[in-house]
Amino acid sequence: MYPCITRLQTILALLYSTMLSRGHTCPSRCLCPDHHTVDCSGRALTHLPGPFPLNVRRLLLANNWISWIPSDFLLLYSDLVYLDLRNNSLSQLEPGTLSTPFSRLVFLDLGGNNLTEIPSGSFGESRSLIKLRLGDNPYLSAVGPRAFQGLSSLRELGLERNGLSDLDVGALEPLASLRTLRLEGNPWACSCRFAKLFAWLTEHRDKLPTGEEDSHVTVM
Ligand SMILES: *[C@@H]1O[C@H](CO)[C@@H](O)[C@H](O)[C@H]1NC(C)=O
Ligand SMILES: *[C@@H]1O[C@H](CO)[C@@H](O)[C@H](O)[C@H]1NC(C)=O
């Protein structure tokens, strides 16, 4: 009676079963200790292996040579909560890659890569994000004034040992939940902007208390 709908249902059923069967594949060079974790750390990978199970929540890709993430990656793996890309060869993030609406990411480690810039709007409205590690990117010298906009739940931000000579204080303003900020090991220039940053850090000492174990701010 409704051939279109019947056909659509068939397609959906097919799609669903493909997704289900794909849901249990593990990329050949990786380990899948449970249904939601894929561990491909230290496998000398030069690009993302895949496909990953579509319902992957924890994806461990540290210590590889991965230089590129497709911009629809988080759209495809929308259940991802924990993404560890530490110590890879990423030099830039395609616009939109990390600003996926409805992202569930809570933990993102991009430390130890070769990033040069964190452009404004990089993380869109990643309201779930709690820990963001961007340290040890020695050429990272530019952080856009609205680079961290939308990160309203972010508690920990690591920008240590990068190539920052200054940082626009405005970039930190949207981080209402920030508890730990790491800025040490950057080649700060004693500019006006740095003076403003220093004043901001002093002023927000209460926001970044030093007493608790998980809360501190380190600059030098
Ligand atoms: C980074 O990854 C490479 C390749 O796996 C490894 O040889 C190196 O020890 C790692 N470096 C760090 C600091 O973990
Ligand atoms: C890292 O980036 C710098 C500056 O863009 C470049 O000169 C260097 O070759 C890159 N290194 C790697 C390992 O990609």
Side-chain angles (χ1 to χ4, degrees):
M1 202 187 262
Y2 302 107
C4 277
I5 291 178
T6 319
R7 213 172 298 152
L8 186 65
Q9 276 173 344
T10 316
I11 291 168
L12 282 178
L14 268 175
L15 201 63
Y16 190 60
S17 60
T18 337
M19 278 164 72
L20 274 185
S21 57
R22 278 185 67 189
H24 295 290
T25 56
C26 188
S28 59
R29 292 159 80 180
C30 307
L31 301 171
C32 298
D34 59 61
H35 279 330
H36 296 297
T37 306
V38 178
D39 183 356
C40 314
S41 311
R43 304 276 152 159
L45 302 169
T46 52
H47 51 84
L48 289 171
F52 301 107
L54 281 171
N55 57 357
V56 63
R57 288 189 202 152
R58 280 166 56 87
L59 186 49
L60 313 177
L61 292 162
N63 304 333
N64 285 294
W65 309 104
I66 296 164
S67 58
W68 183 70
I69 315 173
S71 59
D72 59 358
F73 189 71
L74 282 187
L75 276 179
L76 194 55
Y77 301 106
S78 55
D79 285 345
L80 264 185
V81 167
Y82 189 104
L83 178 57
D84 185 358
L85 276 159
R86 188 166 187 86
N87 188 24
N88 274 280
S89 307
L90 298 169
S91 58
Q92 79 171 74
L93 301 167
E94 308 251 331
T97 308
L98 299 170
S99 57
T100 313
F102 317 120
S103 157
R104 293 182 189 164
L105 267 193
V106 167
F107 177 94
L108 176 61
D109 195 339
L110 295 171
N113 276 274
N114 206 22
L115 299 174
T116 53
E117 184 188 359
I118 309 295
S120 284
S122 284
F123 304 99
E125 300 288 306
S126 302
R127 296 194 185 280
S128 316
L129 202 60
I130 289 179
K131 291 192 182 189
L132 175 58
R133 302 204 173 143
L134 296 167
D136 297 297
N137 282 279
Y139 298 95
L140 177 48
S141 57
V143 170
R146 283 177 301 285
F148 306 122
Q149 195 155 30
L151 302 184
S152 52
S153 306
L154 197 74
R155 287 170 64 94
E156 184 183 313
L157 174 62
L159 286 165
E160 73 279 15
R161 292 182 299 279
N162 289 326
L164 296 170
S165 58
D166 65 29
L167 179 63
D168 188 335
V169 161
L172 302 173
E173 300 282 9
L175 302 174
S177 308
L178 194 67
R179 301 290 296 274
T180 301
L181 174 63
R182 298 193 55 184
L183 294 170
E184 77 274 15
N186 282 283
W188 300 114
C190 286
S191 62
C192 259
R193 282 226 288 210
F194 183 69
K196 274 189 203 152
L197 174 63
F198 205 85
W200 187 89
L201 293 172
T202 312
E203 186 189 329
H204 288 81
R205 224 171 241 166
D206 59 322
K207 208 170 162 186
L208 312 163
T210 50
E212 291 168 47
E213 203 185 68
D214 69 336
S215 310
H216 63 264
V217 54
T218 30
V219 185
M220 298 300 185

